[in-house]
Amino acid sequence: MPELPEVETVRRGLLDTVLDRRIDRVEVGRERTVRRTSRQALIDGLSGVVIVGFERRGKYLLGSLDSGYGLMVHLRMSGRLLVSPTGSKRPAHTHVVLTMGCVELWFVDPRTFGEVVVYDPERLEDEMPELLRLGVDPIADPFDADVLRSALSGTSRAVKTVLLDQHRIAGLGNIYTDEVLHRARVRFDRPANALRQVEISRLAGAITEVLTAAIESGGSTLDDTQYVDVAGRTGEFQHQHLVYGRRDQGCLTCGKSVIHRATVGGRSTFFCPRCQK
DNA sequence: AAACAAACCTGTGCGC
DNA sequence: TGCGCACAGGTTTGTT
């Protein structure tokens, strides 16, 4: 579910609600959520601790603890972080609860693909190796056509597949990849290393513009309302989707074709065959 | 190297 | 109403 704009929206919500609050109680329901370490490791790592910062790398949410340790949360497909008054009724699938005085932070995750981990930033290679392998973050890092050209170089895989590869570019998922390719007028199945310079420039511009606009809109909430921010509010960027989920509907860009659906790497892909070459 | 499938889970929506 | 199936925003792993 959540891609870069949704994770960024959650990050900003956490800065406003739980930053600098001491964690006085840690509850872990489903141990699967803390499978990388253990229930006890999370309790020991967070009890009595203050979260003093939140950063984001791609879809990874990273908290800094006053103990010197780090807190990593990945929402994967169905994870949500919600902040509520202490004692509120918890939704189904609430697997972790951090009580911080008058508020509680809940990690809710029906499909249990998500993760919550306390790690030692000095031992990243052992404890959070994937963080070291993430590619450029188009919002958090300097990003332009040259950076994108390097990220796309050396592979003939379909450009959509490469944009989804978190080792090359961190943060794009299935929704935003399709939206970006449409706005750049590039077909999803073009070999990444065969794009012309002008196309790479359009793509870089579209990535920055779409992600920035989506963050301003608080992310995208689809019909199932799976994604909401820490206060339970929906995003609004879905109203600006031009292709995602619009199979057989008229193209909003050219008005002359309809949106087609294909499958790439097992993922649904939406595009306009007339606009995207 | 790349394409594909399966794995991890639960919920929802659809056709019948 | 109920049943079975397809499908879902992510990522890793293993197989052709």
Side-chain angles (χ1 to χ4, degrees):
Chain A
M1 158 180 66
E3 308 180 26
L4 187 155
E6 290 75 32
V7 178
E8 177 64 16
T9 301
V10 168
R11 184 185 77 86
R12 293 179 182 187
L14 293 172
L15 288 176
D16 292 340
T17 53
V18 302
L19 194 72
D20 297 332
R21 290 180 182 271
R22 188 166 304 277
I23 300 169
D24 33 52
R25 183 170 154 86
V26 179
E27 297 166 76
V28 180
R30 270 265 230 171
E31 193 147 27
R32 182 172 148 73
T33 299
V34 294
R35 58 193 174 280
R36 190 181 303 232
T37 54
S38 67
R39 173 180 281 119
Q40 199 57 47
L42 197 82
I43 293 171
D44 292 346
L46 292 178
S47 297
V49 158
V50 175
I51 308 176
V52 296
F54 280 105
E55 293 184 88
R56 182 193 54 71
R57 296 296 305 170
K59 303 168 193 169
Y60 291 76
L61 186 59
L62 304 170
S64 304
L65 308 178
D66 67 348
S67 59
Y69 283 76
L71 171 66
M72 188 286 286
V73 178
H74 199 303
L75 304 173
R76 294 288 182 103
M77 294 287 268
S78 61
R80 294 151 75 157
L81 284 171
L82 298 170
V83 177
S84 292
T86 294
S88 306
K89 185 170 189 302
R90 300 166 186 179
H93 309 294
T94 302
H95 304 314
V96 175
V97 175
L98 305 183
T99 304
M100 309 156 97
C102 60
V103 297
E104 289 180 356
L105 175 60
W106 300 333
F107 181 77
V108 180
D109 186 15
R111 293 177 73 177
T112 71
F113 293 170
E115 276 194 84
V116 180
V117 183
V118 173
Y119 65 95
D120 181 351
E122 307 283 303
R123 292 175 33 83
L124 273 186
E125 182 63 48
D126 293 320
E127 300 187 6
M128 288 293 305
E130 63 265 51
L131 283 184
L132 296 172
R133 312 214 185 327
L134 282 179
V136 58
D137 183 304
I139 297 297
D141 297 327
F143 185 78
D144 59 16
D146 285 341
V147 173
L148 180 61
R149 182 161 40 75
S150 314
L152 296 179
S153 70
T155 177
S156 61
R157 286 183 297 162
V159 61
K160 167 158 181 173
T161 304
V162 180
L163 291 175
L164 283 172
D165 183 347
Q166 304 296 302
H167 306 293
R168 290 177 177 264
I169 299 174
L172 290 173
N174 206 36
I175 293 176
Y176 294 102
T177 306
D178 282 2
E179 293 299 322
V180 159
L181 285 167
H182 180 76
R183 286 165 172 82
R185 311 199 299 277
V186 174
R187 264 184 73 111
F188 64 96
D189 53 358
R190 294 276 303 284
N193 61 1
L195 294 185
R196 292 174 289 134
Q197 185 58 41
V198 62
E199 294 173 319
I200 292 176
S201 293
R202 288 208 304 265
L203 206 43
I207 289 170
T208 301
E209 285 168 23
V210 167
L211 293 178
T212 301
I215 291 167
E216 285 173 9
S217 297
S220 299
T221 299
L222 303 185
D223 293 341
D224 58 12
T225 66
Q226 276 280 304
Y227 165 73
V228 290
D229 71 7
V230 297
R233 291 178 300 245
T234 62
E236 297 301 331
F237 192 72
Q238 65 277 10
H239 304 303
Q240 293 178 61
H241 289 181
L242 298 179
V243 289
Y244 187 83
R246 300 194 63 252
R247 166 151 63 158
D248 295 336
Q249 298 179 45
C251 176
L252 297 168
T253 302
C254 69
K256 294 176 178 172
S257 182
V258 295
I259 302 307
H260 286 220
R261 181 190 185 274
T263 300
V264 182
R267 319 293 303 279
S268 287
T269 299
F270 301 92
F271 67 104
C272 173
R274 190 170 187 278
C275 295
Q276 296 171 247
K277 301 296 183 188

